[in-house]
Amino acid sequence: MYNALVEAFRAAQVASADAFARVSALAAQVGAKAVVVPLHVDHPGEFRRFLRRLVASLIDRASNEFGIAGAPVSIDETRIPVNGYPNIWEAIRAGETPDLDRYWRVLAERYEHCGRALACRQMAETLAASLQLDLPNAVRRFTKVTRLRLKAPSVATAVRPMRRIAVEAHAEVRAALLALAAFAQDAGEPALAGCLRQFDHGEAFGPQQRRTFPGLDVLQYNEYWELRFSAALGERLLAFVAQHLSEPAAA
Amino acid sequence: MYNQIIEKFIAAQQAARQAYQDAANFERDMLAGTGTDEPFFAVGVRSAYRQENELEKFCQSLASNIVSRARREFAPLGARLDIENSAEYERAGLDIHEALRKGEIPDLDKLWASLTAFYKGDGGAATAYRQAASRIVRNFGLHRNAEVKRTAAGVVLKKPVYTETSYRSSRRRVGYHSTQPTADCLMGLATFAGKAGNALLAKQLTGINLYELEYVSREKIAMPGLDITLFNDKWEFKFCNELAEALMLFIGEYGQEAMQERH
C-alpha cells in the first residue's frame, strides 16, 4: 500500500519532468536554444522530503493503532535498522528507498501484541513523574477524597493576580492531563475523560482557583495543582500506576 | 512561435499539477481506508500562487531572452547595440503581468515582430552607430569645447581617465570610477573603426582589458592609425589624418543629437 503510493509519487515526478522536457524540446526545435532556460527542480530532494513525511505519517498511524485510544504508544523508530543503516531516517538520508510495506509489518510485529501494555506503562511513567509519586507526601488519603499533587510551575501574567503555566512546563502538564483522560476512559469515566481532554491548561488562572469535574477537583496553586479525586477513583488510579510500573517492560 | 512555447509551458504546468493531484488523491483514499482520525498527508500539491509565479517568471525570462537575441543578431559585426528591455516592451505594447492577470498569453511574437521591424536591415546598425558616436562625443567632450588640436601628424583628442596606484607594483591602473566610461569610449571607437574598415584597429581596441591594464605615465599603446598615450589623469588619442577625417564624418553623420546636448 505504502509502496504503491511511493510508486505513484515517482510517476508524478516523472510525468511532470517529461512535460517540462517537452517544452524545452520544442524550444530547441524552433532554434531558440538559449532562449528557454530549463527550470531547476530538485527531484531527488523533493522525493526525500516526501519519503520523510510519509514515514512520519506511517509511524504516527502505528502509534495510534497499536496504542490505547487517547494514549498512543510512543514508538522508538531510531533503534530499528533498515537496509543496513542504523534507522530509517539514515536510510532515507543516504538516498535509499526503503520498503515501507515491510517496515509497517516490522512495526506491527513489534508493537501489535505488546503495544497496549507498553502504552499503559508509558502512561504510568508519565503520571508517576508529573504527580511526583516518589516524594513522601505525594499522596494523602481522606475519607471522601484522595489528594495528589501535579507539578505545574506558573508565572505571573501582565494582569496582576492571574498566572499562567510556565513555558517549559506546558508539555508535561498537557501529557499528564491526556494520560489522566486516557486512564479515566479506561476506568469507565467517559465524562471525566471528555472534560480533561478539553481542559485548556494554558489558560490564565487566579491562584487557588478551583475547577470542578465529575469525580475530580483541581485546585490551581502557584507551584503545583492539587488533584482531589473521589476516594475510589483515586485508589484505582494509584493501583493502575503501581500495577503498570511493576510489570517488566515488554518491548 | 514564442507564444506556442508559452502555451506548451502552461500545458506542462497543468499536466504536472494533475500528476501530483492524482498522487495526492491516491494517498487520501489510501489513508481513508486505514481509518485514521486526523491523518497528515505526504504528497504536496503546489499552491496556485506558486504556479502562477513560475509562469510569470518564465514569461519574463523568455521576453528578456528575446531582447538579448535582438541585441546579438541586429548589431553590426563587432559593435555593441544597447537595447533596453522596458522600452521595447512598451513599444510592443507588452505587459506580461497584466496579460497573465487577465488570463491571456502575453504576446511575445508581437515583441519579436516589433523588434525585427525596428532593428532589421539598417535599423540596428544605425542605432549602434548612433550610440557609438554619442559615446565618443561625450567622452572626448566634443560637444563642450569645439577646439580640436590638429598637428601635422594628425588630430589629438583627450579623455580624462583617473588612475590609482596598484597594490602589486609601482605602476598605475585605471581608477574604479573611470573604468566604465573608458570602456564605453574604447567600445565606441572600436565600432567606429569597424565601420571605417579598419578591422585590425577594431580588434585591438576591443582587446584592451582595463582591469588588467597597468602602466607608467606617458606609456604609449600604438595601433594602426591610432596612438594612445597614457598619462596619470588623462589619455591622449592621436588619430592619423585619414582616420581623423573618417571620424569627423562619422560623428557628423551619427553624432548630431549628442552634439546638441548641453550639460
Side-chain angles (χ1 to χ4, degrees):
Chain A
M1 178 176 87
Y2 283 103
N3 285 345
L5 178 59
V6 171
E7 285 311 312
F9 189 79
R10 270 266 168 81
Q13 278 194 320
V14 170
S16 82
D18 278 355
F20 287 112
R22 276 201 296 279
V23 178
S24 301
L26 174 78
Q29 245 175 36
V30 291
K33 228 174 276 172
V35 162
V36 178
V37 181
L39 294 172
H40 173 73
V41 182
D42 180 12
H43 281 299
E46 191 189 39
F47 185 63
R48 256 200 319 273
R49 287 193 290 278
F50 159 76
L51 275 183
R52 291 202 182 109
R53 285 199 298 269
L54 187 59
V55 167
S57 103
L58 184 150
I59 289 168
D60 184 55
R61 178 181 155 215
S63 64
N64 279 319
E65 237 169 64
F66 301 138
I68 314 166
V73 54
S74 80
I75 288 176
D76 187 4
E77 80 282 2
T78 59
R79 301 288 171 88
I80 303 177
V82 172
N83 287 7
Y85 292 94
N87 60 48
I88 194 153
W89 306 116
E90 292 294 329
I92 292 174
R93 181 211 277 283
E96 292 266 327
T97 308
D99 184 348
L100 291 183
D101 286 332
R102 182 152 170 273
Y103 193 67
W104 172 260
R105 282 199 297 280
V106 168
L107 286 185
E109 200 177 301
R110 279 203 177 200
Y111 289 98
E112 205 165 20
H113 303 296
C114 62
R116 298 183 58 82
L118 204 60
C120 285
R121 190 185 164 80
Q122 284 165 354
M123 241 164 72
E125 276 168 1
T126 311
L127 286 175
S130 57
L131 295 175
Q132 294 180 300
L133 292 181
D134 48 344
L135 293 187
N137 57 354
V139 187
R140 289 193 65 179
R141 295 183 172 83
F142 301 91
T143 45
K144 292 225 172 115
V145 298
T146 305
R147 196 217 62 191
L148 298 168
R149 280 177 173 180
L150 174 67
K151 190 169 106 187
S154 61
V155 292
T157 60
V159 186
R160 199 57 240 219
M162 304 302 274
R163 297 179 72 82
R164 207 184 277 283
I165 292 286
V167 174
E168 67 275 13
H170 270 272
E172 279 174 36
V173 173
R174 180 79 192 143
L177 289 177
L178 285 181
L180 279 177
F183 159 74
Q185 190 77 44
D186 206 39
E189 303 269 354
L192 175 58
C195 288
L196 281 172
R197 248 180 254 126
Q198 290 182 9
F199 180 25
D200 180 7
H201 66 286
E203 210 182 334
F205 59 89
Q208 303 188 26
Q209 187 169 334
R210 181 189 281 253
R211 309 257 180 173
T212 305
F213 304 120
L216 170 67
D217 279 6
V218 179
L219 263 81
Q220 297 172 311
Y221 289 102
N222 285 358
E223 289 302 313
Y224 60 90
W225 290 1
E226 200 173 280
L227 307 179
R228 298 188 176 184
F229 287 94
S230 64
L233 191 60
E235 282 312 315
R236 258 158 61 208
L237 174 63
L238 290 174
F240 174 86
V241 171
Q243 183 205 334
H244 287 291
L245 277 186
S246 63
E247 276 177 10
Chain B
M1 120 188 140
Y2 291 111
N3 289 359
Q4 207 188 347
I5 293 178
I6 296 181
E7 277 167 24
K8 281 276 153 56
F9 187 80
I10 293 175
Q13 275 190 323
Q14 279 162 354
R17 188 184 182 80
Q18 192 54 46
Y20 280 96
Q21 190 66 56
D22 288 346
N25 291 342
F26 178 69
E27 183 185 28
R28 209 159 282 258
D29 295 345
M30 182 189 102
L31 286 185
T34 64
T36 322
D37 293 339
E38 297 167 351
F40 61 87
F41 299 107
V43 181
V45 180
R46 289 195 309 166
S47 67
Y49 166 74
R50 282 190 62 186
Q51 193 169 330
E52 284 160 17
N53 192 36
E54 185 190 54
L55 179 59
E56 185 172 339
K57 275 185 188 155
F58 177 78
C59 292
Q60 294 280 10
S61 64
L62 194 55
S64 62
N65 277 323
I66 289 170
V67 177
S68 47
R69 181 181 166 198
R71 261 178 224 133
R72 267 198 320 277
E73 285 189 7
F74 296 136
L77 202 64
R80 185 170 108 192
L81 175 60
D82 285 352
I83 308 179
E84 209 189 333
N85 284 6
S86 55
E88 292 309 319
Y89 296 169
E90 207 162 302
R91 185 179 300 140
L94 177 71
D95 188 341
I96 291 172
H97 183 73
E98 194 61 21
L100 288 178
R101 203 177 58 76
K102 282 187 199 152
E104 296 162 2
I105 291 174
D107 199 350
L108 297 189
D109 284 340
K110 207 167 116 196
L111 174 66
W112 178 246
S114 102
L115 279 167
T116 316
F118 199 79
Y119 292 108
K120 199 167 173 84
D122 283 346
T127 314
Y129 292 146
R130 219 175 302 123
Q131 286 166 351
S134 83
R135 272 184 216 125
I136 293 171
V137 167
R138 281 188 203 136
N139 274 296
F140 291 122
L142 295 181
H143 55 314
R144 266 179 285 208
N145 46 352
E147 335 170 358
V148 172
K149 195 169 146 198
R150 287 176 181 277
T151 63
V155 171
V156 178
L157 295 176
K158 289 174 192 164
K159 160 162 182 49
V161 175
Y162 298 100
T163 57
E164 55 196 26
T165 50
S166 166
Y167 65 89
R168 53 188 173 187
S169 69
S170 57
R171 293 147 77 83
R172 320 257 318 164
R173 47 185 296 151
V174 179
Y176 179 80
H177 292 99
S178 271
T179 312
Q180 188 59 55
T182 310
D184 280 347
C185 178
L186 293 177
M187 202 63 215
L189 283 176
T191 305
F192 150 72
K195 171 89 169 36
N198 197 338
L200 186 58
L201 176 59
K203 199 161 165 60
Q204 289 192 354
L205 279 169
T206 331
I208 296 178
N209 183 349
L210 292 177
Y211 295 97
E212 294 281 309
L213 182 67
E214 289 188 352
Y215 61 91
V216 291
S217 191
R218 293 166 201 280
E219 202 170 302
K220 198 179 259 191
I221 303 179
M223 287 176 281
L226 171 66
D227 286 355
I228 309 179
T229 315
L230 313 173
F231 294 94
N232 280 350
D233 56 354
K234 68 175 177 190
W235 285 10
E236 273 186 7
F237 292 73
K238 190 189 274 177
F239 296 85
C240 73
N241 273 323
E242 49 187 314
L243 203 59
E245 207 61 39
L247 182 64
M248 290 309 138
L249 283 177
F250 180 74
I251 288 173
E253 188 174 355
Y254 296 107
Q256 284 311 313
E257 268 174 57
M259 292 293 270
Q260 304 299 324
E261 279 179 16
R262 294 263 171 266
H263 290 280

